[in-house]
Amino acid sequence: MDARYRTPGSPVMQYSLKIILGAGGFVLLGVTALAFLLTQISNRHLSFEYHPLYEVTAVFDNVGELKVGAHVSMSGVEMGRVSRIAFDAAVQKAVVSMRLSTQFSRIPIDSSAAIYTQGILGRKFVGLTNGVSEIFLKDHDRIAATRSAMPLENVIGQLFTRYLRTKTVPPGGSAANGGR
């Protein structure tokens, strides 16, 4: 609108400030929502609490789709996160490093680690199972007992193989069918 048609207090000047503030608030809300969603998707959570961490490792034959940043939990309680996944050429296995909060410093050294799937096709995470030792894990210890991930393709293949075996072998063998 041409400046000669504007007068102080006209609706054009009053609404433009409201529109600018409304649009700015909407953009700010959108950026905040996007930042929150990114923290949820990437397994990185906003936390304002600081707990000192200690690192333990575990060796697995197969880590499946386990990712850095995945949960490490025991009895459903999150204790830490996977910090690194590497391949040890000497033993031909995957080495998973986990950073655990020191508030969970009484994990027995004979505890075991397994890779689980959250839901049917969900994310992978490391689950710890309590041991019975009176000696506890400390920084840079290795969890000896592990159970690797079972990829979905292997599970389906095993089920299919069992199904074929039950269909091809008659119950009771050939003697049950009169030797034919």
Side-chain angles (χ1 to χ4, degrees):
M1 185 175 231
D2 195 351
R4 60 184 165 185
Y5 294 112
R6 287 191 201 159
T7 59
S10 71
V12 173
M13 292 184 84
Q14 290 174 354
Y15 290 122
S16 65
L17 183 59
K18 288 181 184 178
I19 290 172
I20 291 171
L21 289 177
F26 185 74
V27 169
L28 184 62
L29 183 65
V31 169
T32 304
L34 184 62
F36 174 75
L37 287 174
L38 286 175
T39 61
Q40 298 303 308
I41 290 171
S42 67
N43 274 340
R44 309 263 192 258
H45 295 285
L46 297 174
S47 177
F48 298 108
E49 295 180 33
Y50 174 73
H51 293 286
L53 303 172
Y54 65 103
E55 189 167 294
V56 297
T57 59
V59 177
F60 294 95
D61 291 326
N62 186 350
V63 293
E65 295 294 318
L66 185 70
K67 305 272 189 244
V68 170
H71 298 276
V72 177
S73 65
M74 181 182 281
S75 301
V77 176
E78 184 179 331
M79 307 179 95
R81 299 285 179 143
V82 172
S83 60
R84 195 178 81 216
I85 301 172
F87 183 73
D88 186 350
V91 293
Q92 298 290 310
K93 294 184 180 188
V95 179
V96 176
S97 299
M98 299 166 274
R99 287 194 179 136
L100 306 177
S101 174
T102 54
Q103 73 185 50
F104 305 109
S105 61
R106 296 183 53 88
I107 300 172
I109 199 161
D110 62 343
S111 296
S112 64
I115 299 175
Y116 296 107
T117 304
Q118 210 170 18
I120 295 174
L121 297 174
R123 293 183 283 195
K124 301 281 188 189
F125 69 97
V126 178
L128 301 177
T129 304
N130 227 354
V132 294
S133 176
E134 293 294 322
I135 301 170
F136 303 111
L137 288 171
K138 54 188 181 301
D139 199 22
H140 302 296
D141 277 349
R142 177 165 282 177
I143 298 173
T146 61
R147 191 173 73 229
S148 296
M150 180 67 90
L152 186 60
E153 301 85 31
N154 292 358
V155 173
I156 292 171
Q158 288 176 355
L159 291 173
F160 186 68
T161 303
R162 285 184 187 167
Y163 174 76
L164 288 178
R165 270 194 224 137
T166 60
K167 291 295 179 188
T168 57
V169 178
S174 62
N177 291 331
R180 293 183 213 156

